[in-house]
Amino acid sequence: MRLLSLTLALSLAALPLHAQDGPGGIAFVQAPELSWGMGMGATPEEAFAAATAQCVDGGALAEDCLQTNWCYPAGWSIDVFLQHQEGLHWHEVICGLPSAEAGQAVAEALCDRSTRSYLLECQLVQIYDADGAAQMAE
């Protein structure tokens, strides 16, 4: 019986592992004042590697691409551009949302000037679906 169990275990170990069907994760990186990136993957490492590659393609060094967000499952994501009245600008990304409409509501809350009077500009610049596809024209 032990020999059969051992043989079965060794046989199964030789089989290739198949990717699990189902939701993936999404990761975002940001190189302040330089570039940014978004990537999809089954693991945080895989998704952050893809996001960092996109950030580097945008002109930043890999070490400047800071990991900011990871959501699993990805859900819907939003990218909001903000600019301080003194000129600095950045992006705030929220992922794992249940719908595009929820993302739009979150963006409106983030851009509420009554709570962030120091903002010169604030706008939703992109919505990503659960597969990482951009929903707004670029």
Side-chain angles (χ1 to χ4, degrees), residues 70-123:
W70 158 256
C71 286
Y72 181 88
W76 287 77
S77 302
I78 60 169
D79 178 3
V80 179
F81 172 84
L82 300 96
Q83 184 172 10
H84 193 280
Q85 61 194 7
E86 293 182 6
L88 294 174
H89 66 277
W90 66 96
H91 289 255
E92 292 183 3
V93 176
I94 309 294
C95 55
L97 298 167
S99 66
E101 294 77 22
Q104 290 169 337
V106 169
E108 287 177 25
L110 290 173
C111 292
D112 182 353
R113 298 277 166 69
S114 69
T115 60
R116 297 174 113 175
S117 60
Y118 54 86
L119 291 176
L120 177 65
E121 186 176 349
C122 185
Q123 66 180 13

Side-chain angles (χ1 to χ4, degrees), residues 27-97:
F28 293 89
V29 300
Q30 197 171 153
E33 302 291 330
L34 294 172
S35 186
W36 69 279
M38 181 277 293
M40 300 293 294
T43 65
E45 295 79 14
E46 183 180 304
F48 277 122
T52 299
Q54 185 180 39
C55 182
V56 169
D57 287 347
L61 298 175
E63 56 267 22
D64 293 329
C65 300
L66 308 173
Q67 297 178 353
T68 60
N69 300 71
W70 158 256
C71 286
Y72 181 88
W76 287 77
S77 302
I78 60 169
D79 178 3
V80 179
F81 172 84
L82 300 96
Q83 184 172 10
H84 193 280
Q85 61 194 7
E86 293 182 6
L88 294 174
H89 66 277
W90 66 96
H91 289 255
E92 292 183 3
V93 176
I94 309 294
C95 55
L97 298 167

